Amino acid sequence: MKKTFKEIGGTSFHDTVIESTVNELKQILGEPHYDGNDGEDKVNFEWEMETDNGDVFTVYDWKEYRSLSGNEVVEWHIGGHNKDVTEQAKREIESARVTG
């Protein structure tokens, strides 16, 4: 899994989520592509990534409507072009947690 420079257009939510903190995701995924964290929009943080297979996916908080603490556990959506991609992304993130 790595940051992507590919086009992520067309990704969407397929009911795949993870629970994590902002700080943990930063350790696993690096710095986010988007970091608004002011609670003014539907998303405070978003990562644009690709799986080991090269499929693009996004990780983002959804409709928290408040600033998030770095150590607060929240639910994160994983977006992709289909459910298989989002589930693969989740497995890779969870694997990085264990080995990280």
Side-chain angles (χ1 to χ4, degrees):
M1 160 180 63
K2 64 181 181 180
K3 284 189 181 258
T4 190
F5 296 99
K6 296 179 181 177
E7 175 60 43
I8 62 157
T11 59
S12 59
F13 181 57
H14 295 277
D15 298 319
T16 305
V17 298
I18 57 170
E19 289 190 353
S20 186
T21 68
V22 172
N23 289 340
E24 181 181 33
L25 288 178
K26 284 181 177 181
Q27 287 178 337
I28 295 169
L29 305 176
E31 289 300 314
H33 173 78
Y34 174 77
D35 176 358
N37 201 24
D38 59 12
E40 297 292 319
D41 204 354
K42 292 179 185 175
V43 173
N44 287 307
F45 296 95
E46 181 177 44
W47 286 264
E48 295 180 358
M49 308 293 296
E50 63 185 80
T51 65
D52 292 340
N53 300 354
D55 295 312
V56 295
F57 69 94
T58 58
V59 177
Y60 55 96
D61 63 291
W62 185 245
K63 293 187 176 181
E64 293 292 335
Y65 291 121
R66 60 193 172 74
S67 180
L68 300 178
S69 160
N71 293 315
E72 174 184 4
V73 175
V74 296
E75 183 176 86
W76 299 87
H77 287 204
I78 301 176
H81 287 116
N82 58 58
K83 179 80 169 173
D84 290 338
V85 170
T86 61
E87 289 295 322
Q88 178 62 34
K90 181 176 180 173
R91 285 190 296 274
E92 291 182 21
I93 293 168
E94 289 175 341
S95 176
R97 279 180 162 164
V98 173
T99 60

XYZ file of all heavy atoms in Angstrom:
809
model
N 0.847 -1.165 0.000
C 0.000 0.000 0.000
C 0.897 1.234 0.000
O 1.926 1.250 0.670
C -0.882 -0.107 1.238
C -1.514 1.120 1.743
S -2.529 0.804 3.210
C -1.335 0.231 4.385
N 0.487 2.227 -0.789
C 1.266 3.461 -0.874
C 0.372 4.607 -1.306
O -0.745 4.398 -1.787
C 2.412 3.296 -1.867
C 1.946 3.061 -3.300
C 3.126 2.875 -4.234
C 2.631 2.666 -5.664
N 3.725 2.490 -6.603
N 0.883 5.825 -1.115
C 0.171 6.994 -1.632
C 0.073 6.857 -3.139
O 0.955 6.291 -3.772
C 0.914 8.287 -1.301
C 0.771 8.706 0.122
C 1.343 10.097 0.318
C 1.215 10.495 1.749
N 0.120 11.404 1.993
N -1.014 7.396 -3.693
C -1.174 7.282 -5.130
C -1.118 8.644 -5.792
O -1.458 9.657 -5.183
C -2.494 6.573 -5.494
O -2.491 6.270 -6.883
C -3.707 7.433 -5.180
N -0.690 8.613 -7.034
C -0.744 9.803 -7.878
C -1.684 9.545 -9.042
O -1.777 10.330 -9.972
C 0.662 10.177 -8.355
C 1.559 10.553 -7.199
C 2.447 9.630 -6.664
C 1.479 11.804 -6.622
C 3.253 9.958 -5.586
C 2.287 12.146 -5.538
C 3.167 11.221 -5.016
N -2.385 8.420 -8.968
C -3.386 8.078 -9.978
C -4.670 8.854 -9.711
O -4.915 9.321 -8.594
C -3.703 6.581 -9.927
C -2.541 5.678 -10.284
C -2.984 4.222 -10.175
C -1.857 3.262 -10.503
N -2.285 1.851 -10.331
N -5.513 8.947 -10.710
C -6.826 9.581 -10.588
C -7.705 8.725 -9.682
O -7.797 7.509 -9.863
C -7.466 9.710 -11.971
C -8.874 10.238 -11.971
C -8.998 11.626 -11.357
O -8.143 12.486 -11.643
O -9.968 11.837 -10.600
N -8.335 9.349 -8.678
C -9.195 8.599 -7.767
C -10.678 8.803 -8.073
O -11.529 8.287 -7.360
C -8.913 8.958 -6.296
C -9.193 10.431 -6.039
C -7.515 8.569 -5.896
C -9.475 10.740 -4.596
N -10.984 9.546 -9.127
C -12.374 9.795 -9.487
C -13.152 8.500 -9.650
O -12.632 7.508 -10.145
N -14.396 8.515 -9.201
C -15.250 7.343 -9.327
C -15.195 6.411 -8.136
O -15.917 5.421 -8.087
N -14.352 6.716 -7.149
C -14.355 5.884 -5.944
C -15.583 6.245 -5.119
O -16.072 7.374 -5.161
C -13.087 6.075 -5.092
O -12.985 7.441 -4.699
C -11.839 5.664 -5.864
N -16.085 5.274 -4.373
C -17.247 5.516 -3.530
C -17.227 4.558 -2.346
O -16.406 3.643 -2.275
C -18.537 5.355 -4.327
O -18.627 4.048 -4.861
N -18.151 4.775 -1.433
C -18.247 3.996 -0.211
C -19.008 2.699 -0.488
O -20.082 2.709 -1.085
C -18.970 4.834 0.848
C -19.116 4.175 2.176
C -18.015 3.731 2.871
C -20.371 4.022 2.742
C -18.147 3.128 4.117
C -20.514 3.425 3.986
C -19.409 2.985 4.673
N -18.440 1.578 -0.038
C -19.056 0.252 -0.230
C -19.216 -0.458 1.112
O -19.008 -1.671 1.212
C -18.200 -0.595 -1.176
C -18.125 -0.054 -2.556
N -19.094 -0.277 -3.504
C -17.203 0.741 -3.151
C -18.773 0.328 -4.623
N -17.621 0.968 -4.434
N -19.570 0.311 2.143
C -19.825 -0.223 3.486
C -18.596 -0.833 4.156
O -18.725 -1.698 5.017
C -20.969 -1.245 3.476
C -22.284 -0.631 3.037
O -22.565 0.502 3.453
O -23.018 -1.279 2.270
N -17.407 -0.393 3.784
C -16.186 -0.858 4.428
C -15.660 0.266 5.316
O -15.426 1.373 4.837
C -15.116 -1.243 3.383
O -15.668 -2.193 2.486
C -13.881 -1.817 4.054
N -15.503 -0.036 6.606
C -15.041 0.968 7.566
C -13.955 0.367 8.456
O -13.838 -0.852 8.573
C -16.194 1.498 8.454
C -17.251 2.198 7.616
C -16.803 0.400 9.293
N -13.199 1.253 9.077
C -12.255 0.861 10.113
C -12.374 1.877 11.248
O -12.805 3.009 11.020
C -10.790 0.821 9.615
C -10.371 2.174 9.033
C -10.584 -0.283 8.614
C -8.897 2.270 8.744
N -11.998 1.461 12.435
C -11.935 2.385 13.558
C -10.471 2.625 13.875
O -9.686 1.680 13.967
C -12.675 1.824 14.764
C -14.170 1.819 14.560
C -14.935 1.501 15.826
O -14.312 1.145 16.852
O -16.173 1.601 15.779
N -10.129 3.896 14.003
C -8.740 4.269 14.235
C -8.679 5.712 14.689
O -9.676 6.428 14.662
C -7.941 4.081 12.945
O -6.570 4.308 13.170
N -7.486 6.140 15.061
C -7.243 7.548 15.372
C -6.560 8.211 14.176
O -5.975 7.524 13.328
C -6.340 7.704 16.611
O -5.033 7.223 16.285
C -6.901 6.969 17.816
N -6.598 9.512 14.148
C -5.878 10.264 13.125
C -4.388 9.944 13.210
O -3.738 9.667 12.195
C -6.103 11.786 13.286
C -5.207 12.576 12.353
C -7.559 12.153 13.072
N -3.848 9.948 14.422
C -2.410 9.716 14.590
C -2.000 8.333 14.114
O -0.948 8.174 13.487
C -1.996 9.942 16.037
C -2.045 11.405 16.423
O -2.021 12.280 15.565
N -2.142 11.674 17.703
N -2.810 7.314 14.403
C -2.481 5.967 13.941
C -2.508 5.902 12.413
O -1.612 5.320 11.797
C -3.454 4.946 14.528
C -3.120 3.533 14.093
C -4.068 2.488 14.641
O -5.267 2.772 14.822
O -3.588 1.363 14.869
N -3.506 6.514 11.796
C -3.562 6.499 10.333
C -2.387 7.254 9.722
O -1.859 6.846 8.694
C -4.896 7.052 9.827
C -6.101 6.142 10.058
C -7.373 6.813 9.562
C -5.912 4.793 9.397
N -1.965 8.322 10.355
C -0.793 9.042 9.853
C 0.452 8.159 9.914
O 1.289 8.215 9.016
C -0.561 10.337 10.644
C -1.518 11.452 10.266
C -1.217 12.708 11.055
C -2.103 13.857 10.643
N -1.797 15.095 11.406
N 0.575 7.353 10.959
C 1.720 6.438 11.064
C 1.670 5.381 9.963
O 2.699 5.014 9.409
C 1.736 5.756 12.425
C 2.140 6.662 13.546
C 2.084 5.943 14.897
O 1.384 4.956 15.073
N 2.832 6.470 15.853
N 0.469 4.900 9.659
C 0.311 3.824 8.680
C 0.325 4.350 7.247
O 0.986 3.788 6.373
C -0.990 3.046 8.942
C -0.924 2.331 10.289
C -1.282 2.047 7.821
C -2.251 1.759 10.760
N -0.430 5.441 7.006
C -0.662 5.929 5.641
C 0.167 7.152 5.270
O 0.193 7.551 4.107
C -2.149 6.270 5.449
C -3.149 5.155 5.768
C -4.574 5.680 5.628
C -2.919 3.952 4.871
N 0.829 7.764 6.242
C 1.555 8.998 5.981
C 0.651 10.203 6.168
O -0.462 10.100 6.686
N 1.121 11.338 5.738
C 0.323 12.563 5.867
C -0.873 12.503 4.912
O -0.746 12.024 3.779
C 1.174 13.801 5.579
C 2.183 14.087 6.670
C 1.546 14.343 8.024
O 0.559 15.115 8.111
O 2.032 13.762 9.019
N -2.024 12.999 5.348
C -3.206 12.949 4.487
C -3.100 13.889 3.290
O -2.399 14.897 3.341
C -4.344 13.377 5.414
C -3.698 14.130 6.522
C -2.303 13.597 6.649
N -3.815 13.521 2.235
C -3.918 14.366 1.043
C -4.673 15.651 1.406
O -4.347 16.730 0.942
C -4.651 13.598 -0.059
C -4.959 14.405 -1.269
N -3.998 14.700 -2.216
C -6.094 15.004 -1.694
C -4.544 15.444 -3.162
N -5.813 15.637 -2.862
N -5.712 15.494 2.222
C -6.514 16.635 2.667
C -6.557 16.638 4.185
O -6.805 15.607 4.810
C -7.935 16.547 2.110
C -8.843 17.618 2.646
C -8.762 18.919 2.167
C -9.772 17.341 3.647
C -9.578 19.918 2.669
C -10.588 18.330 4.146
C -10.488 19.610 3.665
O -11.301 20.599 4.177
N -6.296 17.805 4.779
C -6.323 17.970 6.232
C -6.965 19.306 6.559
O -6.292 20.304 6.730
C -4.895 17.889 6.781
C -4.804 18.139 8.282
O -5.838 18.422 8.918
O -3.696 18.050 8.818
N -8.313 19.331 6.577
C -9.050 20.552 6.912
C -9.261 20.656 8.412
O -9.061 21.687 9.022
N -9.679 19.564 9.018
C -9.924 19.388 10.451
C -10.474 20.616 11.158
O -10.055 20.953 12.267
C -8.673 18.884 11.168
C -9.035 18.216 12.490
O -10.148 17.738 12.662
N -8.104 18.187 13.412
N -11.451 21.268 10.547
C -12.107 22.387 11.208
C -13.582 22.092 11.482
O -14.276 22.921 12.072
C -11.954 23.671 10.395
C -12.532 23.552 8.991
O -13.248 22.574 8.692
O -12.250 24.451 8.176
N -14.057 20.915 11.066
C -15.448 20.547 11.293
C -16.438 21.266 10.408
O -17.647 21.106 10.561
N -15.947 22.054 9.463
C -16.826 22.852 8.607
C -17.340 22.099 7.386
O -18.246 22.561 6.714
C -16.084 24.114 8.137
C -15.698 25.051 9.265
C -16.890 25.698 9.932
O -17.832 26.094 9.213
O -16.892 25.784 11.175
N -16.751 20.951 7.069
C -17.132 20.215 5.872
C -17.475 18.785 6.256
O -17.332 18.380 7.403
C -15.968 20.245 4.866
C -16.429 20.034 3.426
O -17.617 19.749 3.195
O -15.570 20.142 2.533
N -17.902 17.995 5.290
C -18.254 16.597 5.548
C -17.039 15.752 5.888
O -17.163 14.696 6.494
C -18.967 16.002 4.334
C -20.327 16.601 4.091
C -20.965 15.995 2.854
C -22.281 16.683 2.555
N -22.867 16.197 1.306
N -15.846 16.196 5.465
C -14.610 15.448 5.674
C -13.558 16.359 6.301
O -13.377 17.488 5.859
C -14.080 14.898 4.319
C -12.716 14.264 4.469
C -15.069 13.924 3.703
N -12.877 15.846 7.336
C -11.753 16.569 7.946
C -10.410 16.105 7.405
O -9.491 16.893 7.257
C -11.755 16.371 9.472
C -12.852 17.132 10.155
O -13.000 18.325 9.974
N -13.645 16.432 10.956
N -10.302 14.791 7.157
C -9.062 14.186 6.673
C -9.378 13.218 5.547
O -10.392 12.511 5.595
C -8.368 13.378 7.786
C -7.913 14.196 8.950
C -8.709 14.329 10.069
C -6.671 14.815 8.927
C -8.293 15.074 11.162
C -6.243 15.564 10.010
C -7.052 15.704 11.133
N -8.473 13.183 4.556
C -8.623 12.190 3.492
C -7.246 11.779 2.986
O -6.391 12.622 2.736
C -9.450 12.722 2.329
C -9.637 11.686 1.236
C -10.506 12.165 0.094
O -10.322 13.322 -0.357
O -11.371 11.390 -0.333
N -7.071 10.468 2.850
C -5.871 9.893 2.263
C -6.229 9.312 0.908
O -7.277 8.671 0.761
C -5.313 8.775 3.142
C -4.627 9.240 4.376
C -3.288 9.424 4.539
C -5.223 9.553 5.637
N -3.017 9.842 5.823
C -4.192 9.928 6.515
C -6.550 9.568 6.107
C -4.433 10.307 7.838
C -6.787 9.940 7.419
C -5.736 10.302 8.265
N -5.380 9.536 -0.094
C -5.538 8.946 -1.427
C -4.421 7.932 -1.580
O -3.244 8.290 -1.587
C -5.462 10.025 -2.503
C -6.601 11.015 -2.412
C -6.551 12.092 -3.482
O -5.603 12.118 -4.301
O -7.467 12.931 -3.494
N -4.796 6.666 -1.687
C -3.842 5.569 -1.617
C -4.078 4.581 -2.756
O -5.060 4.686 -3.476
C -4.009 4.830 -0.281
C -3.965 5.700 0.969
S -2.353 6.447 1.288
C -1.354 4.999 1.582
N -3.166 3.606 -2.864
C -3.412 2.472 -3.743
C -2.949 1.202 -3.046
O -2.004 1.208 -2.262
C -2.781 2.640 -5.120
C -1.296 2.727 -5.172
C -0.794 3.009 -6.586
O -0.841 4.188 -6.994
O -0.346 2.058 -7.249
N -3.656 0.122 -3.344
C -3.327 -1.169 -2.755
C -2.054 -1.710 -3.384
O -1.548 -1.171 -4.376
C -4.462 -2.182 -2.993
O -4.567 -2.423 -4.401
C -5.791 -1.699 -2.435
N -1.583 -2.823 -2.848
C -0.414 -3.484 -3.424
C -0.680 -3.926 -4.861
O 0.254 -4.085 -5.639
C -0.012 -4.693 -2.570
C 0.513 -4.283 -1.201
O 0.929 -3.118 -1.034
O 0.502 -5.141 -0.292
N -1.958 -4.104 -5.219
C -2.338 -4.481 -6.592
C -2.418 -3.269 -7.521
O -2.662 -3.442 -8.719
C -3.708 -5.162 -6.616
C -3.771 -6.412 -5.795
O -2.776 -6.878 -5.264
N -4.946 -6.972 -5.686
N -2.301 -2.050 -6.966
C -2.393 -0.845 -7.784
C -3.781 -0.256 -7.900
O -4.002 0.682 -8.659
N -4.755 -0.788 -7.127
C -6.113 -0.239 -7.137
C -6.189 0.959 -6.198
O -5.708 0.893 -5.059
C -7.122 -1.297 -6.680
C -7.220 -2.467 -7.635
O -7.335 -2.217 -8.853
O -7.185 -3.628 -7.170
N -6.806 2.045 -6.651
C -6.891 3.249 -5.826
C -8.005 3.131 -4.791
O -9.020 2.470 -5.020
C -7.102 4.519 -6.683
C -5.906 4.778 -7.569
C -8.384 4.469 -7.483
N -7.762 3.774 -3.639
C -8.786 3.859 -2.601
C -8.560 5.112 -1.779
O -7.483 5.716 -1.826
C -8.794 2.597 -1.716
C -7.599 2.423 -0.822
C -7.612 2.872 0.492
C -6.456 1.780 -1.284
C -6.516 2.694 1.325
C -5.357 1.583 -0.458
C -5.386 2.047 0.849
N -9.576 5.508 -1.050
C -9.493 6.652 -0.157
C -9.881 6.224 1.250
O -10.638 5.272 1.438
C -10.429 7.800 -0.611
O -11.774 7.308 -0.667
C -10.022 8.338 -1.976
N -9.347 6.927 2.234
C -9.726 6.744 3.631
C -10.103 8.121 4.147
O -9.331 9.071 3.999
C -8.555 6.158 4.464
C -8.944 6.045 5.934
C -8.109 4.814 3.900
N -11.293 8.240 4.752
C -11.780 9.547 5.171
C -12.799 9.412 6.291
O -13.512 8.412 6.386
C -12.399 10.298 3.990
C -13.504 9.531 3.287
C -14.843 9.759 3.603
C -13.208 8.573 2.331
C -15.852 9.049 2.967
C -14.208 7.858 1.685
C -15.533 8.102 2.018
O -16.540 7.390 1.404
N -12.834 10.432 7.151
C -13.907 10.502 8.140
C -15.128 11.067 7.416
O -14.988 11.754 6.408
C -13.508 11.382 9.327
C -13.259 12.820 8.938
O -12.249 13.074 8.235
O -14.050 13.694 9.318
N -16.324 10.780 7.917
C -17.521 11.207 7.195
C -18.520 11.833 8.154
O -18.992 11.199 9.096
C -18.151 10.024 6.478
C -19.316 10.386 5.624
C -20.611 9.997 5.800
C -19.319 11.213 4.460
N -21.406 10.520 4.821
C -20.633 11.274 3.979
C -18.326 11.911 3.783
C -20.985 12.010 2.850
C -18.667 12.637 2.659
C -19.992 12.679 2.196
N -18.791 13.099 7.918
C -19.820 13.864 8.627
C -19.637 13.891 10.140
O -20.589 13.746 10.896
C -21.217 13.347 8.269
C -21.595 13.598 6.827
C -23.041 13.224 6.577
C -23.437 13.571 5.150
N -24.843 13.241 4.895
N -18.416 14.098 10.580
C -18.185 14.300 12.009
C -18.605 15.712 12.414
O -19.030 15.939 13.532
C -16.721 14.037 12.369
C -16.284 12.594 12.224
C -16.927 11.665 13.235
O -17.342 12.115 14.322
O -17.010 10.457 12.931
N -18.448 16.674 11.505
C -18.835 18.071 11.705
C -18.258 18.672 12.989
O -18.913 19.415 13.703
C -20.349 18.243 11.664
C -20.921 18.015 10.287
C -21.873 17.030 10.073
C -20.496 18.769 9.210
C -22.402 16.808 8.815
C -21.010 18.566 7.936
C -21.970 17.583 7.755
O -22.478 17.377 6.497
N -17.030 18.301 13.287
C -16.297 18.861 14.417
C -14.832 18.565 14.198
O -14.483 17.649 13.457
C -16.757 18.242 15.731
C -16.556 16.742 15.777
C -17.292 16.083 16.950
N -17.231 14.642 16.848
C -16.171 13.896 17.090
N -15.041 14.459 17.484
N -16.200 12.588 16.963
N -13.987 19.328 14.832
C -12.553 19.080 14.751
C -12.241 17.786 15.493
O -12.809 17.517 16.551
C -11.815 20.254 15.385
O -10.440 20.056 15.326
N -11.352 16.968 14.930
C -11.014 15.685 15.538
C -9.687 15.770 16.284
O -8.719 16.334 15.777
C -10.907 14.599 14.470
C -12.157 14.338 13.637
C -11.871 13.277 12.583
C -13.318 13.926 14.518
N -9.652 15.178 17.461
C -8.418 15.065 18.229
C -7.557 13.980 17.594
O -8.068 12.995 17.069
C -8.755 14.693 19.673
O -7.638 14.146 20.325
N -6.264 14.127 17.654
C -5.360 13.153 17.058
C -5.436 11.765 17.661
O -5.111 10.779 17.007
N -5.881 11.665 18.920
C -5.923 10.376 19.606
C -7.335 9.844 19.815
O -7.524 8.853 20.522
C -5.201 10.466 20.952
C -3.720 10.697 20.750
O -3.093 10.054 19.908
N -3.159 11.631 21.482
N -8.312 10.483 19.211
C -9.704 10.059 19.338
C -10.000 8.952 18.315
O -9.720 9.104 17.129
C -10.588 11.278 19.066
C -12.049 11.008 19.012
C -12.846 12.252 18.636
O -12.242 13.311 18.335
O -14.073 12.147 18.641
N -10.574 7.868 18.761
C -10.956 6.787 17.852
C -12.268 7.162 17.175
O -13.257 7.486 17.844
C -11.113 5.445 18.606
C -11.618 4.361 17.669
C -9.791 5.034 19.236
N -12.253 7.173 15.854
C -13.461 7.439 15.064
C -13.582 6.394 13.960
O -12.630 5.675 13.653
C -13.477 8.861 14.447
C -13.506 9.927 15.522
C -12.311 9.080 13.522
N -14.747 6.340 13.349
C -14.983 5.432 12.232
C -14.555 6.118 10.932
O -14.931 7.256 10.679
C -16.465 5.073 12.164
C -16.792 4.073 11.087
C -18.241 3.665 11.122
O -19.058 4.384 10.509
O -18.556 2.659 11.772
N -13.780 5.402 10.127
C -13.267 5.907 8.860
C -13.868 5.100 7.722
O -13.925 3.879 7.787
C -11.743 5.789 8.820
C -11.091 6.581 9.902
C -10.842 6.170 11.171
C -10.644 7.924 9.829
N -10.255 7.178 11.898
C -10.127 8.273 11.087
C -10.635 8.882 8.811
C -9.606 9.530 11.363
C -10.102 10.130 9.088
C -9.593 10.452 10.346
N -14.311 5.791 6.699
C -14.814 5.130 5.502
C -13.642 4.818 4.573
O -12.694 5.596 4.476
C -15.779 6.055 4.750
C -17.101 6.199 5.431
N -18.228 6.558 4.754
C -17.486 6.032 6.717
C -19.250 6.607 5.582
N -18.817 6.301 6.788
N -13.743 3.694 3.888
C -12.788 3.352 2.843
C -13.560 3.352 1.530
O -14.537 2.626 1.390
C -12.135 1.977 3.091
C -11.405 1.976 4.431
C -11.180 1.642 1.936
C -10.816 0.635 4.822
N -13.132 4.202 0.612
C -13.784 4.296 -0.682
C -12.943 3.646 -1.756
O -11.713 3.656 -1.687
N -13.598 3.067 -2.738
C -12.897 2.441 -3.853
C -13.844 2.253 -5.023
O -15.007 2.664 -4.963
N -13.368 1.627 -6.074
C -14.215 1.407 -7.245
C -15.177 0.249 -7.067
O -16.155 0.147 -7.794
C -13.352 1.222 -8.498
C -12.732 2.500 -8.950
N -11.367 2.683 -8.963
C -13.273 3.666 -9.364
C -11.106 3.906 -9.384
N -12.241 4.527 -9.625
N -14.911 -0.633 -6.081
C -15.845 -1.716 -5.781
C -15.532 -2.272 -4.391
O -14.528 -1.909 -3.778
C -15.798 -2.818 -6.854
C -14.420 -3.410 -7.021
O -13.826 -3.924 -6.079
N -13.880 -3.335 -8.244
N -16.406 -3.135 -3.913
C -16.278 -3.712 -2.567
C -14.986 -4.520 -2.414
O -14.350 -4.485 -1.353
C -17.506 -4.592 -2.280
C -17.507 -5.278 -0.947
C -17.943 -4.362 0.146
C -18.195 -5.144 1.440
N -18.464 -4.267 2.553
N -14.575 -5.237 -3.458
C -13.341 -6.024 -3.373
C -12.131 -5.135 -3.081
O -11.267 -5.488 -2.270
C -13.098 -6.817 -4.659
C -14.083 -7.957 -4.839
O -14.679 -8.418 -3.833
O -14.260 -8.397 -5.992
N -12.074 -3.980 -3.731
C -10.956 -3.050 -3.524
C -10.978 -2.509 -2.098
O -9.945 -2.466 -1.422
C -10.991 -1.892 -4.543
C -9.982 -0.810 -4.178
C -10.736 -2.405 -5.947
N -12.158 -2.111 -1.608
C -12.210 -1.536 -0.262
C -11.879 -2.578 0.804
O -11.219 -2.267 1.791
C -13.568 -0.862 0.022
O -14.622 -1.826 -0.056
C -13.826 0.282 -0.943
N -12.300 -3.815 0.592
C -11.972 -4.871 1.546
C -10.472 -5.196 1.509
O -9.864 -5.449 2.545
C -12.806 -6.124 1.278
C -14.274 -5.955 1.651
C -14.500 -5.742 3.139
O -13.805 -6.370 3.960
O -15.385 -4.930 3.483
N -9.877 -5.174 0.317
C -8.428 -5.389 0.209
C -7.670 -4.263 0.916
O -6.709 -4.505 1.636
C -7.987 -5.481 -1.252
C -6.485 -5.652 -1.448
C -5.950 -6.932 -0.840
O -6.633 -7.956 -0.826
N -4.724 -6.891 -0.332
N -8.122 -3.037 0.724
C -7.491 -1.890 1.388
C -7.571 -2.041 2.907
O -6.590 -1.808 3.617
C -8.162 -0.599 0.935
N -8.730 -2.449 3.404
C -8.892 -2.653 4.847
C -7.920 -3.716 5.359
O -7.282 -3.527 6.394
C -10.332 -3.052 5.159
C -10.585 -3.254 6.632
C -12.041 -3.561 6.906
C -12.277 -3.750 8.404
N -13.706 -3.875 8.709
N -7.791 -4.822 4.618
C -6.857 -5.876 5.037
C -5.426 -5.351 5.085
O -4.668 -5.654 6.011
C -6.956 -7.072 4.103
C -8.195 -7.923 4.314
C -8.146 -9.237 3.532
N -8.137 -9.049 2.098
C -9.225 -8.906 1.340
N -10.428 -8.918 1.899
N -9.122 -8.769 0.041
N -5.047 -4.546 4.086
C -3.682 -4.007 4.066
C -3.446 -3.024 5.207
O -2.361 -3.012 5.800
C -3.396 -3.375 2.711
C -3.295 -4.409 1.603
C -2.960 -3.851 0.236
O -2.413 -2.715 0.149
O -3.236 -4.535 -0.774
N -4.431 -2.215 5.525
C -4.301 -1.284 6.658
C -4.189 -2.067 7.957
O -3.324 -1.779 8.801
C -5.491 -0.303 6.705
C -5.447 0.639 5.499
C -5.481 0.490 8.018
C -6.718 1.458 5.296
N -5.049 -3.068 8.131
C -5.000 -3.859 9.359
C -3.687 -4.627 9.478
O -3.129 -4.765 10.571
C -6.207 -4.797 9.434
C -7.486 -4.024 9.698
C -8.743 -4.882 9.669
O -8.716 -6.006 9.103
O -9.766 -4.408 10.182
N -3.163 -5.107 8.371
C -1.877 -5.790 8.378
C -0.759 -4.832 8.784
O 0.141 -5.195 9.540
C -1.589 -6.382 7.003
O -0.318 -6.965 6.974
N -0.823 -3.592 8.300
C 0.188 -2.593 8.662
C 0.118 -2.255 10.149
O 1.140 -1.956 10.770
C 0.005 -1.336 7.814
N -1.066 -2.308 10.728
C -1.218 -2.087 12.177
C -0.428 -3.130 12.955
O 0.248 -2.830 13.914
C -2.673 -2.213 12.596
C -3.521 -1.043 12.363
C -4.918 -1.347 12.833
N -5.677 -0.133 13.020
C -6.988 -0.096 13.122
N -7.695 -1.207 13.048
N -7.600 1.046 13.301
N -0.548 -4.371 12.538
C 0.081 -5.494 13.234
C 1.596 -5.457 13.081
O 2.335 -5.657 14.033
C -0.489 -6.836 12.716
C 0.276 -8.013 13.300
C -1.962 -6.943 13.019
N 2.050 -5.190 11.859
C 3.492 -5.225 11.596
C 4.177 -3.883 11.851
O 5.384 -3.823 11.917
C 3.775 -5.651 10.145
O 3.166 -4.724 9.240
C 3.243 -7.040 9.888
N 3.364 -2.798 11.919
C 3.910 -1.456 12.074
C 4.561 -1.259 13.373
O 5.522 -0.692 13.650
